[in-house]
Amino acid sequence: MSPTSAAPGPIQPIDPLAALRTPADPEHDVYLTGTVFLDIIFTGLDHAPVRGTESWARGMGSSPGGIANMATALARLGLHTTLAAAFGADVYGDYCWESLAHDEGVDLTHSRRVPGWHSPVTVSMAYEGERTMVTHEHPAPPPATRPVPPRSRACVTAYEPGRQEDWVRQAHAQGAEIFADVGWDESGRWDLATLPDLPYTHAFLPNATEAQRYTRTDTPERAVRALAGLVPIAVVTRGAEGAIGIDSHTGESAEVPGLAVEALDPTGAGDVFVAGFMTGTLAGWPLADRLAFANLTAALSVQHFGGSLAAPGWAEVAAWWDRTARSGDRELVARHRFLDGLIPAGAREWPRLRALPTIGFRAADARGA
């Protein structure tokens, strides 16, 4: 059975930074840039695709992907998010633009439509808690002038070995806090010196494998301690086992276990984790609460498929907390008690816009699909 979508119902807006906002603040909370893909996701496969055979999927969905995963996750948590990206001048590009700008409220002032360029596409097949992806992309032609990042509280990026991004340095010089994870090092060198933007980083969030390889350590605990000597905030993610972090600014260290959920599709879960952690960091929460919130939002996301459209908003967080607070699980309740002060009593769940088996439906048709 494929998920359907529905328009959001009324809910009291939750602004996690409301108590911190002043007239002198930047217009944007978060700036990010990258490639937007159209993601087509197949789920419910009994096994990995086998050469020379046809596989049948019980579920299918389409959604904006790539950097749209992070942009959507941030916007759904109430951060004022602006994205600089190229969008194809095709129907796929129309769909991704409308989804981000109109449905999610992501600011696309710094994005552009590219005539004659078609949208990149990724097909993802989820099975046994893993995924296999096939992507087709022609890189977009560069803009006529090099864009300058707008002022923002924070920026988010993914480091690649040997690649330096001028905009990261510029954003840092403007006062933005840089949050970054890192991609796989295909060269096998795993040398921190190949990450030239690391000195500008406020928070670095690699997974355990990446962190241990880069630091030449044999445990996530040793890895996070090594990274904490290089960046103000170091976090090492451990998938279903949770995350561990050190905040050198506050002197805090914390280790928070993951949440046990039935995962349908892990696409975009790492982006949702970073978005949750950024939200708590910008709002000034204790480190343990930031890690717990990031774990929670990532766990909620993997129960849906579709990358960006699997990201939870505050209504989903509120519904989870309502169930959990009545569950009798004292340890889980104690770990997430901070949610009491964040979620107003009027918050309620609504059917979020989720990945559809087709992008052909318009809004009225999608609600009845």
Side-chain angles (χ1 to χ4, degrees):
M1 181 177 179
S2 297
T4 59
S5 74
I11 186 174
Q12 181 176 344
I14 296 177
D15 179 358
L17 307 186
L20 305 175
R21 298 195 185 281
T22 71
D25 286 344
E27 178 183 359
H28 311 292
D29 294 328
V30 185
Y31 167 81
L32 65 167
T33 185
T35 302
V36 174
F37 293 79
L38 174 75
D39 281 356
I40 301 173
I41 307 99
F42 294 102
T43 64
L45 290 99
D46 294 323
H47 51 73
V50 178
R51 179 180 179 181
T53 67
E54 182 177 11
S55 299
W56 288 83
R58 290 185 290 275
M60 173 186 169
S62 301
S63 68
I67 196 64
N69 294 342
M70 181 69 75
T72 300
L74 292 164
R76 287 188 172 188
L77 292 177
L79 297 184
H80 303 168
T81 303
T82 186
L83 169 65
F87 288 77
D90 51 12
V91 173
Y92 292 170
D94 292 343
Y95 164 72
C96 291
W97 185 285
E98 291 174 9
S99 176
L100 289 167
H102 302 151
D103 298 329
E104 307 300 339
V106 175
D107 175 75
L108 297 181
T109 302
H110 306 281
S111 293
R112 60 195 176 102
R113 301 300 297 269
V114 182
W117 179 67
H118 71 76
S119 301
V121 176
T122 292
V123 175
S124 176
M125 291 158 280
Y127 54 87
E128 299 173 355
E130 297 293 339
R131 56 181 174 152
T132 298
M133 296 182 289
V134 178
T135 294
H136 176 68
E137 174 193 9
H138 294 291
T145 58
R146 187 180 297 273
V148 176
R151 286 187 63 240
S152 61
R153 293 175 186 268
C155 299
V156 60
T157 188
Y159 294 151
E160 291 184 12
R163 187 186 72 181
Q164 185 168 24
E165 296 283 7
D166 290 340
W167 72 264
V168 170
R169 174 180 49 79
Q170 293 170 342
H172 177 268
Q174 293 173 351
E177 296 178 343
I178 309 299
F179 290 72
D181 60 11
V182 67
W184 187 259
D185 187 352
E186 298 289 351
S187 73
R189 293 175 59 191
W190 298 100
D191 184 356
L192 286 167
T194 65
L195 305 180
D197 292 325
L198 193 62
Y200 305 113
T201 307
H202 181 69
F204 188 43
L205 302 97
N207 65 36
T209 300
E210 296 157 349
Q212 289 171 221
R213 286 176 181 260
Y214 271 115
T215 58
R216 309 295 193 269
T217 55
D218 56 1
T219 67
E221 292 78 11
R222 290 190 177 97
V224 76
R225 286 196 295 270
L227 292 173
L230 302 173
V231 295
I233 301 173
V235 173
V236 173
T237 61
R238 301 180 297 178
E241 297 180 12
I244 183 170
I246 296 176
D247 187 333
S248 299
H249 275 316
T250 63
E252 297 171 282
S253 62
E255 182 175 355
V256 178
L259 295 173
V261 296
E262 185 175 346
L264 176 65
D265 178 14
T267 304
D271 294 323
V272 174
F273 180 96
V274 173
F277 188 81
M278 287 184 70
T279 299
T281 301
L282 295 178
W285 303 350
L287 179 60
D289 293 349
R290 288 178 258 165
L291 292 175
F293 187 70
N295 280 337
L296 170 59
T297 52
L300 292 175
S301 76
V302 302
Q303 297 176 77
H304 302 277
F305 68 84
S308 64
L309 300 187
W314 281 103
E316 289 86 354
V317 172
W320 179 88
W321 177 233
D322 181 62
R323 295 191 301 269
T324 300
R326 293 184 282 106
S327 69
D329 189 327
R330 293 183 179 180
E331 183 178 349
L332 199 60
V333 170
R335 186 177 305 125
H336 295 87
R337 180 62 69 184
F338 67 94
L339 292 174
D340 264 344
L342 297 171
I343 301 172
R348 67 175 180 83
E349 189 173 19
W350 70 69
R352 270 285 184 182
L353 185 67
R354 299 297 183 193
L356 286 166
T358 175
I359 65 170
F361 292 134
R362 307 311 292 176
D365 299 322
R367 285 194 292 272

